[in-house]
Amino acid sequence: MTEQFRFDGSASASVDAYLEYRRIVGDDDGGRLMSPEEYERYKRDVLPIRTKNRLYVSWTSPTGMDCKLIGPETMCFCQHRYKQHKTDFKELPSSRPILVNCRVKGCSCFSYTYAPMNGTQSVRCHCKHYASDHGAMAPHRCTLSACLCKGFQTSFTCGCGYKSSEHQTVVETREERKERGHPVGQEGVPYAAMGGLTGFSSLMDGYLRLDDSGIGAPSKEWLEEPRRSRSSTKQQLKS
């Protein structure tokens, strides 16, 4: 028999408050829950910076499509998550590309780089070893002993039709992203390390998203046309 848990109103509110705390603070508390006073001071100091200087991170195809939008839990080549990198900046860097270094002690990663995945599994290099077996920084040499691999290379092809090697990790400001014509979501989001996430559709691969960062929303005419004619319309769009 499956055991069921029931919470009264106060317990449910406490769970919601903790989840909100975790989304805002992330790993900045060092594993020790902040006191109410520390939490309020943290929000007062960090949230204005975070909402003003948010960075948008995506894994982008040669056409400019955001094939993967990076979120807090998305893994880097260094095998640490995006939320474990420096994502809050008092002042936005003036140099490009913007470097988002890993904050984990002893990690040599000086800028977040998306490690391509095939579903939930890391893809393999031509040396037969996984991306997770390669170094944090380009050219991502294999770290396994006796392997002669001098840099990560894979035949894995993204759903957009381009090889993963033809993609790049893009870190950009709100203004730069708007100039590319891609969605930026709501202003004032307080959560840590949101990267390129702007909504539920952000969790889908670029070619599946019906928004400006993917293949584009379908036209009103396409949505309203008779169902029987859509297959021929799709064929015309492909050609």
Side-chain angles (χ1 to χ4, degrees):
M1 178 181 291
T2 302
E3 185 176 0
Q4 295 183 349
F5 295 92
R6 289 184 172 85
F7 299 97
D8 60 21
S10 61
S12 178
S14 297
V15 172
D16 290 342
Y18 176 76
L19 292 176
E20 180 79 358
Y21 166 90
R22 185 54 59 197
R23 293 189 190 103
I24 291 175
V25 175
D27 296 333
D28 285 351
D29 59 4
R32 180 187 65 83
L33 199 65
M34 294 181 180
S35 68
E37 295 76 19
E38 290 174 326
Y39 183 39
E40 291 303 317
R41 184 164 59 251
Y42 176 88
K43 290 192 292 184
R44 185 173 62 250
D45 294 341
V46 174
L47 295 195
I49 298 170
R50 180 174 296 165
T51 55
K52 178 183 177 183
N53 295 332
R54 175 179 172 177
L55 295 177
Y56 293 79
V57 187
S58 56
W59 191 58
T60 306
S61 77
T63 65
M65 180 193 297
D66 297 330
C67 292
K68 178 70 176 181
L69 292 168
I70 307 305
E73 303 295 332
T74 313
M75 199 70 75
C76 173
F77 245 105
C78 72
Q79 297 307 297
H80 298 124
R81 302 181 189 279
Y82 178 62
K83 67 180 182 181
Q84 295 174 286
H85 292 67
K86 178 178 175 58
T87 60
D88 292 324
F89 289 82
K90 291 183 178 180
E91 298 290 338
L92 286 172
S94 57
S95 59
R96 295 293 183 274
I98 298 175
L99 303 181
V100 183
N101 65 287
C102 186
R103 298 184 298 169
V104 176
K105 186 176 181 180
C107 184
S108 61
C109 171
F110 63 78
S111 190
Y112 180 91
T113 304
Y114 174 67
M117 304 283 289
N118 185 8
T120 59
Q121 187 173 4
S122 174
V123 301
R124 289 183 185 270
C125 174
H126 288 170
C127 72
K128 309 301 182 183
H129 300 132
Y130 290 110
S132 55
D133 296 321
H134 290 69
M137 302 311 303
H140 308 293
R141 291 183 172 86
C142 189
T143 58
L144 298 182
S145 60
C147 184
L148 301 178
C149 171
K150 296 182 178 180
F152 182 82
Q153 298 184 46
T154 179
S155 300
F156 177 73
T157 300
C158 175
C160 71
Y162 288 92
K163 294 180 180 179
S164 62
S165 59
E166 298 177 284
H167 291 63
Q168 61 176 331
T169 302
V170 175
V171 182
E172 57 193 341
T173 65
R174 185 181 184 88
E175 290 69 27
E176 289 168 341
R177 185 162 175 80
K178 289 169 69 175
E179 287 178 6
R180 287 208 298 136
H182 289 202
V184 294
Q186 299 179 351
E187 292 191 54
V189 176
Y191 304 133
M194 288 298 287
L197 302 187
T198 57
F200 283 115
S201 67
S202 301
L203 302 176
M204 304 175 70
D205 290 340
Y207 72 100
L208 296 173
R209 285 195 311 274
L210 296 178
D211 63 24
D212 293 336
S213 64
I215 61 174
S219 67
K220 180 179 179 182
E221 292 76 14
W222 187 88
L223 291 172
E224 294 179 349
E225 71 181 10
R227 184 179 182 85
R228 61 179 178 275
S229 66
R230 288 191 179 177
S231 59
S232 60
T233 302
K234 288 180 181 180
Q235 189 61 39
Q236 292 174 6
L237 289 173
K238 288 181 180 179
S239 59

